[in-house]
Amino acid sequence: MKIIHSLRVTTFIFLATVFFVSPSFAAEIKVITSGAFAEALKDLVPEYEKQSSNKVIISYGSSMGSAPDSIPSRLSRDEKFDVLILAAPALERFIQSGAVQSGSRVDLVASVIGAAVRAGSPRPDISTVPALKQALLNAKSVAYSASASGTYLSTELFPKLGIAEQMSKTAKKIYSERVGTVIARGDAELGFQQVSELIPIPGVDFIGEIPPEVQQTVLFSAGITSNVNSQIASRDLIAYLASPKAAPTIQKAGLKPLLPALPW
């Protein structure tokens, strides 16, 4: 009987160890991010995984639009994710629809729009509003994104500059790839996108941010989906992305870390 009792105690201790401390019960966190935060996230995830037993699976898509790989399109096909990272206005729409949990939004970074040309090409002056306008008019072809920055350019900035008609002939919205990639191929002369989406692309020269008077600063935010697999793990990841530890990598990617207080 003592042997049986001893075996039972040993078995209980073993099972308790497995269930409560074994890393085999780490969560898999599925994250989808829009392009502005993509490079930062790609560099941050390995650092997060060094300090956590959780595993992060990254997918990519634009914040808005109807392209097959956009975040709205992928969610409409019932693809499952735990955390969304995208432009704050787009995230708010998912919160309103119930796809993302109310109260889970965390503003991670601020992002601004910049411009680039093919590496080695002449760099137009875009430092003032008149110079930017002239650069747009002089360019034989202009590329802009199908996401937040491109929507602002085509619906607000071009009309504000009085060049919407001209841009309708020379400017093109880019779906499902980075504007920088299009510029590097030589398929467009001048390209505009979030700075963090332009600077990592090989084969382009970043020429600067658009002037402050016409700049649009967009917050990119994280939210937890309503069908999340692990609430605790998802909060843990977001807390890391919003922490001072992540700030240097975020700054290197061309973004401004916000270091927000967490809502939970």
Side-chain angles (χ1 to χ4, degrees):
M1 292 295 293
K2 288 183 178 180
I3 294 174
I4 293 173
H5 176 73
S6 177
L7 286 172
R8 285 175 176 170
V9 171
T10 301
T11 301
F12 174 80
I13 293 172
F14 171 76
L15 289 174
T17 301
V18 169
F19 277 99
F20 295 108
V21 301
S22 172
S24 65
F25 283 86
E28 183 178 86
I29 311 167
K30 293 183 178 180
V31 182
I32 186 164
T33 181
S34 61
F37 199 69
E39 290 299 319
L41 184 64
K42 195 183 299 181
D43 291 337
L44 287 168
V45 161
E47 296 304 313
Y48 170 74
E49 291 179 338
K50 286 178 184 177
Q51 67 169 41
S52 171
S53 57
N54 297 327
K55 177 70 175 175
V56 180
I57 308 298
I58 308 175
S59 297
Y60 304 96
S62 59
S63 292
M64 55 190 70
S66 57
D69 59 349
S70 72
I71 294 176
S73 294
R74 296 181 73 165
L75 292 183
S76 71
R77 296 195 299 268
D78 292 326
E79 290 192 45
K80 306 300 181 187
F81 301 99
D82 301 300
V83 175
L84 307 186
I85 303 174
L86 67 164
L91 183 67
E92 275 300 312
R93 288 193 284 273
F94 286 126
I95 292 172
Q96 295 300 319
S97 72
V100 170
Q101 297 176 32
S102 177
S104 72
R105 172 180 163 178
V106 176
D107 296 332
L108 298 175
V109 299
S111 176
V112 296
I113 301 168
V117 294
R118 193 176 189 182
S121 298
R123 302 184 181 198
D125 179 15
I126 62 165
S127 61
T128 65
V129 175
L132 172 64
K133 178 178 178 178
Q134 196 59 52
L136 285 163
L137 291 173
N138 289 345
K140 294 178 182 177
S141 55
V142 175
Y144 61 91
S145 82
S147 196
S149 62
T151 299
Y152 166 71
L153 290 171
S154 60
T155 64
E156 296 185 45
L157 181 58
F158 295 164
K160 183 176 182 178
L161 296 177
I163 58 173
E165 184 178 349
Q166 295 94 320
M167 290 298 97
S168 68
K169 299 171 185 175
T170 58
K172 181 181 179 182
K173 185 182 292 187
I174 305 302
Y175 295 90
S176 302
E177 66 177 332
R178 299 282 184 87
V179 168
T181 304
V182 175
I183 297 298
R185 284 201 306 264
D187 290 346
E189 187 176 303
L190 181 62
F192 294 84
Q193 199 162 18
Q194 306 292 339
V195 171
S196 60
E197 296 184 72
L198 288 173
I199 60 177
I201 305 299
V204 306
D205 287 336
F206 176 67
I207 60 175
E209 300 173 6
I210 65 174
E213 300 93 323
V214 293
Q215 182 62 263
Q216 183 198 52
T217 299
V218 177
L219 300 184
F220 282 79
S221 310
I224 300 173
T225 61
S226 298
N227 58 358
V228 63
N229 180 52
S230 174
Q231 182 90 350
I232 293 173
S234 297
R235 285 183 174 182
D236 186 61
L237 173 62
I238 292 173
Y240 175 77
L241 299 177
S243 73
K245 286 183 179 180
T249 300
I250 288 171
Q251 289 175 319
K252 185 180 177 182
L255 297 162
K256 179 182 177 180
L258 298 177
L259 303 178
L262 299 175
W264 50 78

